[in-house]
Amino acid sequence: MTIRSVTLRNRIWVAPMCQYSAEEQDGMPNDWHLVHLGSFATGGAALVITEATAVSPEGRISPQDLGIWNDAQRDVFARITAFIRSQGAVPGIQLAHAGRKASTFRPWSEEHGSVPVDQGGWPTVGPSALAFGRYAEPRALTVDEIAGVVEDFRAAARRSVEAGFDVLEVHAAHGYLLNQFLSPLSNRREDEYGGSLENRARLLLEVVRVVREEAGPDRVVFVRFSATDWTEGGFDAEQTATVADWAAAEGADLADISSGGNVAGATIPVGPLYQVPLAAEVRRDSGVPVSAVGLITTPREAEDVVASGRADAVMLARELLRDPHFPLRAADELGVDIDYWPAQYLRARLPRS
Ligand SMILES: Cc1cc2nc3c(=O)[nH]c(=O)nc-3n(C[C@H](O)[C@H](O)[C@H](O)COP(=O)(O)O)c2cc1C
């Protein structure tokens, strides 16, 4: 699949996955991130997208998240993108601001919820002063501060390009800042950033515009959406399709369709391929290519999702944690001859009859 000047060797892509492993709490990637992301590149995935990488310190989900708000972070990412590329995969980065869901303990901490300021946390911001579940209440961003967020995305996109990323994904899903603006359940603003769908989408579109400007004409821009809040009166697939078209007009190339994360306690009908119908709906109702994600765990399922035209590509997360070489195994299982088995691993390739 070729998008702009970027060619992807297959349609199995690595979904962004937070590692909460910047131990110095400085947003810096380290050897863990190199090995974690590098293993997917040796494993045959076409596109390896980093975890949600914060565009500013206060945009981190946890103090241990990665960031790309300074040149030192950029320079370590450059080593990671070089390795990914050396294995024939395309390096991508997910650019993120966590908004009201920032400053939380990492999942395996003994404590949960918001990290207090005196323990290294920070005050959070959002479209409105509405807390997510039991998290700390955010402060509503001023219009000037919103412009600052856009500039943070711009600077992060510029550094991402300098670090060698070919795909820049804007994180507008899972209840993080841009999703908070999109959903009427978290955005109660009465200015030009709230109310109508056009107003709720304004910040995302401003971000996509500057990310495209920094990406230039050759690199690829994705937007990850939560295509439903799984809650009556929330953001939904119909609105997603409309916003995906608007984002495409600002330079986005593909909508990465996920769901949920913006309403604490929403009931989500989790099961195999559970988000694929959302991807198919957005693909049908917008003019935008889509990727599907969510409990796609077998080579046959992945193949069927793409072959049936429900999505243009699949992203896998947890199955790739279990088996970073899933794409190599999938090729064997489906009888596809690929030329990117690492020479070092060729003895593991199943013999062909
Ligand atoms: C460990 C882990 C970390 C994740 N971090 C992110 C993230 O940083 N950004 C994001 O958009 N989604 C994140 N997700 C969600 C995945 O990208 C994916 O959408 C979800 O896990 C469903 O796909 P799966 O069933 O293949 O795991 C994460 C998931 C896991 C398991």
Side-chain angles (χ1 to χ4, degrees):
M1 183 179 189
T2 298
I3 312 176
R4 296 182 184 257
S5 68
V6 176
T7 298
L8 299 144
R9 61 188 170 185
N10 60 50
R11 294 169 191 240
I12 302 174
W13 302 345
V14 182
M17 281 182 276
C18 281
Q19 298 296 292
Y20 312 101
S21 295
E23 297 296 343
E24 304 299 324
Q25 308 195 8
D26 55 1
M28 286 283 277
N30 57 40
D31 285 359
W32 174 268
H33 304 96
L34 172 67
V35 173
H36 163 71
L37 296 166
S39 69
F40 302 130
T42 57
L47 169 62
V48 181
I49 306 185
T50 68
E51 67 184 67
T53 302
V55 300
S56 60
E58 60 279 9
R60 290 171 296 168
I61 300 167
S62 79
Q64 293 84 10
D65 281 21
L66 294 186
I68 190 154
W69 64 80
N70 66 39
D71 291 350
Q73 294 157 344
R74 174 200 63 193
D75 293 347
V76 183
F77 272 122
R79 177 169 176 231
I80 296 175
T81 63
F83 181 78
I84 292 171
R85 188 172 279 111
S86 75
Q87 299 305 305
V90 171
I93 184 167
Q94 187 183 49
L95 299 175
H97 190 304
R100 67 177 182 164
K101 287 175 73 176
S103 186
T104 59
F105 288 102
R106 60 180 169 181
W108 58 84
S109 300
E110 280 168 13
E111 293 166 276
H112 299 287
S114 301
V115 182
V117 174
D118 61 7
Q119 288 180 47
W122 55 92
T124 58
V125 294
S128 306
L130 285 174
F132 174 81
R134 292 197 195 156
Y135 288 8
E137 187 177 295
R139 189 174 55 72
L141 287 164
T142 65
V143 170
D144 280 353
E145 287 170 331
I146 292 174
V149 168
V150 175
E151 284 314 304
D152 287 341
F153 271 94
R154 179 195 289 284
R158 178 172 38 79
R159 288 196 174 93
S160 300
V161 168
E162 291 166 357
F165 288 104
D166 288 333
V167 174
L168 279 56
E169 174 165 280
V170 175
H171 195 356
H174 303 166
Y176 297 114
L177 186 68
L178 300 177
N179 190 179
Q180 292 158 28
F181 272 81
L182 286 172
S183 171
L185 301 178
S186 41
N187 182 347
R188 300 279 168 77
R189 298 181 75 94
E190 291 177 357
D191 60 9
E192 67 267 37
Y193 288 97
S196 65
L197 181 60
E198 203 179 358
N199 282 356
R200 284 182 275 122
R202 189 177 307 281
L203 172 57
L204 170 63
L205 299 179
E206 289 176 353
V207 167
V208 171
R209 190 175 311 141
V210 299
V211 170
R212 168 52 67 204
E213 278 170 22
E214 297 300 326
D218 294 334
R219 289 178 201 80
V220 172
V221 175
F222 291 178
V223 178
R224 178 167 263 208
F225 288 101
S226 274
T228 172
D229 284 329
W230 298 111
T231 303
E232 201 59 37
F235 196 63
D236 59 20
E238 194 184 334
Q239 297 173 66
T240 304
T242 304
V243 177
D245 276 332
W246 294 343
E250 299 294 348
D253 300 304
L254 179 138
D256 166 13
I257 301 301
S258 187
S259 77
N262 196 40
V263 177
T267 308
I268 304 180
V270 176
L273 310 184
Y274 73 107
Q275 293 175 150
V276 172
L278 295 167
E281 191 176 336
V282 174
R283 190 172 192 263
R284 188 195 63 210
D285 295 346
S286 74
V288 181
V290 304
S291 57
V293 68
L295 284 177
I296 301 168
T297 57
T298 70
R300 177 52 62 194
E301 284 170 352
E303 167 69 10
D304 286 349
V305 168
V306 173
S308 64
R310 285 175 286 171
D312 298 275
V314 291
M315 283 196 195
L316 274 58
R318 288 164 291 184
E319 187 58 24
L320 282 166
L321 294 184
R322 287 184 282 268
D323 177 7
H325 304 136
F326 174 95
L328 300 180
R329 179 158 60 79
D332 266 345
E333 274 186 43
L334 298 174
V336 182
D337 212 6
I338 54 170
D339 61 3
Y340 44 82
W341 266 80
Q344 298 91 329
Y345 288 2
L346 273 175
R347 288 178 64 188
R349 189 175 192 168
L350 295 176
R352 291 214 171 248
S353 51

